[in-house]
Amino acid sequence: MDNMLVESVKDYLGITTDDEDVNRNISIKSKAVKNYLVKAGAKIDENNYSEEVIACIATGVNDLLNNKAGDTKFSPAFNMLAMQICVG
């Protein structure tokens, strides 16, 4: 588990709990969003996540947390941030 990424995403989203299930859920979703970005061409330094990358991953995680069953999609905000990270 990438603790730095999980804690940064939780901080960005205002999640203050250290519940193991919450951490695991955020970790899984963070990895999924990070992999999505990498496959789209983003260069992500796992030893030093930029604020832009954290903002994008956290926005994607928030989208995944708030999706309804059978209706998984990313928000326009995530797509705009992802485009900037993947092109830049």
Side-chain angles (χ1 to χ4, degrees), residues 17-69:
T17 184
D18 273 335
D19 181 86
E20 188 175 314
D21 289 336
V22 171
N23 287 346
R24 187 171 47 251
N25 192 18
I26 298 294
S27 176
I28 290 167
K29 286 173 175 44
S30 294
K31 287 178 187 176
V33 174
K34 181 176 77 173
N35 288 336
Y36 178 90
L37 292 169
V38 168
K39 292 198 182 280
K43 306 285 189 267
I44 298 176
D45 180 1
E46 296 182 6
N47 296 315
N48 187 24
Y49 292 102
S50 69
E51 290 181 31
E52 295 82 7
V53 167
I54 293 298
C56 185
I57 292 174
T59 301
V61 167
N62 189 57
D63 290 346
L64 294 177
L65 288 171
N66 291 309
N67 277 323
K68 297 175 184 156

